[in-house]
Amino acid sequence: MDPLRRPLIAGNWKMNAGGSDGCDLAIAVARATTDFADADVIVAPPFTAIAAVTNELYNKKSDVAVAAQNLHWEESGAFTGEVSAAMLRVAGATWAIIGHSERRQLFHETDDAVAKKIAAANAAGLKPIVCVGETLSEREAGETLAVVERQVQAAIVELGRAGGEGVIAYEPVWAIGTGKVASPEDAQAVHAAIRQVLADANAELALTTRILYGGSVKANNAEGLFGQRDIDGALVGGAALEVEGFAKIVEIAAKLARQGKTG
Ligand code: PGA
C-alpha cells in the first residue's frame, strides 16, 4: 500500500439487504469501523436501499459513504427499469460501481457502455469505481494483461476526467464468489500493469488513482494483498454482508496505512 493513496474498502452487497435490513447492516458497519480512520469505507446497497441507508448514515454522522452498484448513462427518459446517475446523486450516493463483471457477463455490458456510464457518473458528481478483470479461460490462455489493459484503456479518458477521485477495481472473474483468491503476487502484477497503463496516459493519474483488488477477499487473506505496493484496498462481495469480518478487513487496511505513514 502506498502512503500517497488512502486505503479504500468497498462492500458490494449485490442483490442483498435491499430494505430495512440494509439500514441495519450499514449502521452496524459504521459502528464496527468507526475506529479505523486511516481507511475509507463504502457500502453499495441495492438501489431500493440507497436513500434510506444514506439517511441513516447521515443521522449517525458516519463517514461511511454510499455507492450505487450500477447506473444508466442517460439522465432521464423512456428507459423502463433504469436509474440515472443524477437520481442516485439525489438519493445520496456519492460513488458508483461501474462495469462489474456480473454486469458485463450477465447483462452484456460492453467497454463502450462502461465508458458512457463513467461519463454519466462524472457529470452527476458520482465518483466511479470501474471494475476490470479476466475470465478463467482468458487467464488460462495467457490473455490476462491484454484483457485488463483493453478494459482500462476503454475507460481511461473518462477516468482522467474523474481525476484522482476515480477508482479501478481489479477483479479476476474466476475469483469472484468462488473462494479462490488471486495470490498477492499475481494480483500485484496485474495492479502494476494497470498503473503503468495509467502512467502512460497521465503520470499524476497513476500516482493518485486507487486500485482495489476484488474476488474472495476475506479477513484471513486481506493482509497479504494489502501488503502489496499497488493494492490500495478491496472491493468485497460476500464478506461485506458479515459485519465482523468486513470490519476486520477495514482494520487491517487502516493498520497497514498507519505503518506505512510512520515508516
Ligand atoms: P466476492 O465478490 O468478494 O464475493 O468474491 C467480489 C465482487 O464481486 O465485487
Side-chain angles (χ1 to χ4, degrees):
M1 237 173 231
D2 191 305
L4 256 184
R5 300 178 293 271
R6 273 173 68 78
L8 171 60
I9 309 299
N12 174 12
W13 296 355
K14 308 194 179 184
M15 202 165 70
N16 300 289
S20 61
D21 49 349
C23 290
D24 296 345
L25 179 56
I27 291 307
V29 165
R31 279 210 191 99
T33 59
T34 188
D35 290 339
F36 312 135
D38 290 293
D40 293 335
V41 180
I42 296 175
V43 292
F47 289 146
T48 48
I50 285 179
V53 162
T54 307
N55 213 26
E56 286 282 345
L57 291 170
Y58 178 81
N59 288 338
K60 298 280 188 308
K61 300 189 176 12
S62 172
D63 289 332
V64 172
V66 175
Q69 299 174 16
N70 180 34
L71 54 83
H72 193 273
W73 58 80
E74 294 289 348
E75 255 180 61
S76 61
F79 301 98
T80 302
E82 295 293 331
V83 178
S84 74
M87 291 170 182
L88 293 165
R89 190 69 195 87
V90 168
T94 49
W95 292 86
I97 298 172
I98 296 177
H100 189 279
S101 66
E102 286 152 18
R103 302 287 328 161
R104 292 180 189 259
Q105 295 212 305
L106 305 174
F107 303 97
H108 314 294
E109 249 178 56
T110 61
D111 285 344
D112 187 42
V114 169
K116 285 195 286 250
K117 290 182 179 200
I118 306 169
N122 285 340
L126 289 177
K127 293 174 269 191
I129 300 172
V130 182
C131 301
V132 299
E134 81 288 1
T135 63
L136 183 58
S137 60
E138 287 164 344
R139 171 157 285 253
E140 285 172 351
E143 292 167 356
T144 297
L145 293 184
V147 168
V148 169
E149 286 175 12
R150 187 203 74 223
Q151 291 170 333
V152 174
Q153 285 293 0
I156 206 155
V157 171
E158 293 305 333
L159 270 170
R161 292 205 171 105
E165 304 266 50
V167 167
I168 295 176
Y170 167 56
E171 300 203 302
V173 179
W174 49 270
I176 294 179
T178 58
K180 285 186 207 150
V181 64
S183 73
E185 296 73 24
D186 283 353
Q188 164 60 25
V190 180
H191 281 235
I194 292 171
R195 206 173 297 287
Q196 189 57 50
V197 174
L198 295 175
D200 290 344
N202 176 337
E204 176 72 15
L205 194 62
L207 283 176
T208 51
T209 299
R210 288 179 283 189
I211 307 178
L212 313 182
Y213 170 80
S216 298
V217 175
K218 307 264 182 293
N220 64 10
N221 58 30
E223 183 140 9
L225 291 160
F226 298 165
Q228 300 293 322
R229 188 181 158 68
D230 289 298
I231 300 183
D232 305 311
L235 181 53
V236 182
L241 297 170
E242 197 266 303
V243 176
E244 210 180 306
F246 185 72
K248 186 82 202 161
I249 295 169
V250 176
E251 181 180 1
I252 292 166
K255 181 189 80 179
L256 289 182
R258 258 196 325 278
Q259 289 173 352
K261 277 185 192 129
T262 56

Short mmCIF file of all heavy atoms in Angstrom, two decimals, residues 56-63:
data_model
loop_
_atom_site.label_atom_id
_atom_site.label_comp_id
_atom_site.label_asym_id
_atom_site.label_seq_id
_atom_site.Cartn_x
_atom_site.Cartn_y
_atom_site.Cartn_z
N GLU A 56 -29.68 7.15 7.14
CA GLU A 56 -29.26 6.57 8.43
C GLU A 56 -27.81 6.96 8.74
O GLU A 56 -27.49 7.35 9.85
CB GLU A 56 -29.33 5.04 8.39
CG GLU A 56 -30.71 4.47 8.44
CD GLU A 56 -31.29 4.49 9.85
OE1 GLU A 56 -30.52 4.68 10.81
OE2 GLU A 56 -32.52 4.36 9.97
N LEU A 57 -26.95 6.83 7.74
CA LEU A 57 -25.52 7.13 7.96
C LEU A 57 -25.34 8.61 8.27
O LEU A 57 -24.53 8.99 9.13
CB LEU A 57 -24.69 6.71 6.74
CG LEU A 57 -24.59 5.19 6.52
CD1 LEU A 57 -23.96 4.90 5.17
CD2 LEU A 57 -23.77 4.54 7.64
N TYR A 58 -26.11 9.44 7.61
CA TYR A 58 -26.03 10.89 7.85
C TYR A 58 -26.47 11.20 9.28
O TYR A 58 -25.80 11.94 10.00
CB TYR A 58 -26.92 11.61 6.82
CG TYR A 58 -26.95 13.09 7.00
CD1 TYR A 58 -25.92 13.89 6.50
CD2 TYR A 58 -27.99 13.71 7.70
CE1 TYR A 58 -25.93 15.27 6.68
CE2 TYR A 58 -28.01 15.08 7.88
CZ TYR A 58 -26.98 15.85 7.37
OH TYR A 58 -27.00 17.21 7.55
N ASN A 59 -27.58 10.60 9.69
CA ASN A 59 -28.10 10.84 11.05
C ASN A 59 -27.11 10.39 12.11
O ASN A 59 -27.03 10.98 13.19
CB ASN A 59 -29.43 10.11 11.27
CG ASN A 59 -30.55 10.79 10.49
OD1 ASN A 59 -30.43 11.96 10.15
ND2 ASN A 59 -31.60 10.04 10.20
N LYS A 60 -26.35 9.35 11.80
CA LYS A 60 -25.37 8.84 12.78
C LYS A 60 -24.02 9.54 12.61
O LYS A 60 -23.04 9.12 13.20
CB LYS A 60 -25.19 7.33 12.60
CG LYS A 60 -26.46 6.52 12.84
CD LYS A 60 -26.69 6.31 14.33
CE LYS A 60 -27.82 5.36 14.66
NZ LYS A 60 -29.12 5.54 14.08
N LYS A 61 -23.96 10.54 11.74
CA LYS A 61 -22.72 11.30 11.49
C LYS A 61 -21.57 10.37 11.09
O LYS A 61 -20.41 10.56 11.50
CB LYS A 61 -22.31 12.12 12.70
CG LYS A 61 -23.37 13.14 13.12
CD LYS A 61 -22.79 14.05 14.18
CE LYS A 61 -23.69 15.19 14.64
NZ LYS A 61 -25.08 15.18 14.28
N SER A 62 -21.89 9.35 10.34
CA SER A 62 -20.87 8.38 9.92
C SER A 62 -20.11 8.86 8.69
O SER A 62 -20.67 9.54 7.83
CB SER A 62 -21.55 7.05 9.61
OG SER A 62 -20.62 6.17 9.04
N ASP A 63 -18.85 8.47 8.59
CA ASP A 63 -18.05 8.78 7.40
C ASP A 63 -18.20 7.71 6.32
O ASP A 63 -17.60 7.83 5.25
CB ASP A 63 -16.56 8.86 7.76
CG ASP A 63 -16.26 10.09 8.58
OD1 ASP A 63 -16.98 11.10 8.42
OD2 ASP A 63 -15.32 10.05 9.39
#
